[in-house]
Amino acid sequence: GVRLQNRPIAALEQLIIPTEIRFKKDKEGTYVELPLNQSFISLDGASANAEFLVSSSAKEQIRFTINRNTQKIIIDRSSSGEVQFSEAFTAPIELDISAIGSETLTLDLWIDTSSVELFINEGKVSATFQYFSNEPISRLHYEAVDGGVTVKQIAEVKGIW
């Protein structure tokens, strides 16, 4: 059937300020510091199962689980900050990635102070969702379960206001 493909507008590329990727370790694993407020993250090579999360210094987080066996990406924002206002808000978001087949996944995330836009394989699958953290998202943690996730790019995104 027909599938809609979404992509960010090309003008967004002009707002990206590349930053150096510095890997750090803590008791929870490998992480990368993110620019505060508005960030662009590009991940490459998720060919099997993997998990990554973006978090604040207050330990608020949004968890992304890639399961190539079930052809789903699960987004869990139940610990992302203010969530008590609705049970539906804490329910996992499931993205069907079966249309991508066995292609290696590329994931681009555009994060600002209250929303995330996710584009998978140049928009073959995409999602936009809100979160209400008390502190800005400031870290990317990731764990390859049996595949591999490579941080291709992290950048600050200039504001337009």
Side-chain angles (χ1 to χ4, degrees):
V2 176
R3 292 194 59 90
L4 181 64
Q5 189 162 334
N6 294 307
R7 293 187 185 151
I9 61 171
L12 276 178
E13 296 292 326
Q14 298 170 12
L15 299 176
I16 291 177
I17 304 167
T19 58
E20 183 179 347
I21 300 172
R22 293 187 179 166
F23 297 97
K24 299 180 180 182
K25 289 195 181 274
D26 64 11
K27 64 183 179 207
E28 294 157 4
T30 303
Y31 71 92
V32 177
E33 296 283 346
L34 300 175
L36 295 179
N37 297 324
Q38 297 183 132
S39 302
F40 170 71
I41 302 168
S42 185
L43 303 173
D44 216 359
S47 58
N49 299 326
E51 188 168 82
F52 65 95
L53 58 93
V54 291
S55 65
S56 72
S57 60
K59 303 294 184 199
E60 298 164 328
Q61 65 185 24
I62 303 166
R63 182 175 300 276
F64 300 81
T65 304
I66 301 166
N67 187 324
R68 295 306 295 260
N69 301 325
T70 63
Q71 295 294 307
K72 301 244 185 259
I73 294 179
I74 309 297
I75 302 165
D76 177 1
R77 58 186 176 170
S78 63
S79 299
S80 63
E82 299 296 326
V83 297
Q84 325 61 317
F85 59 88
S86 169
E87 283 185 31
F89 191 83
T90 61
I93 299 167
E94 288 191 13
L95 301 179
D96 181 357
I97 57 172
S98 60
I100 294 171
S102 61
E103 288 179 53
T104 297
L105 296 179
T106 58
L107 297 98
D108 291 337
L109 291 96
W110 297 83
I111 302 173
D112 69 17
T113 55
S114 65
S115 67
V116 174
E117 293 196 63
L118 171 63
F119 297 91
I120 303 164
N121 287 38
E122 297 185 4
K124 286 184 180 174
V125 176
S126 61
T128 300
F129 56 92
Q130 287 191 288
Y131 67 95
F132 302 101
S133 67
N134 294 299
E135 305 254 340
I137 295 294
S138 59
R139 287 185 173 185
L140 165 70
H141 285 265
Y142 63 96
E143 176 183 337
V145 178
D146 57 15
V149 176
T150 303
V151 179
K152 191 166 64 176
Q153 182 180 15
I154 291 181
E156 181 179 353
V157 179
K158 286 190 266 185
I160 58 170
W161 306 114

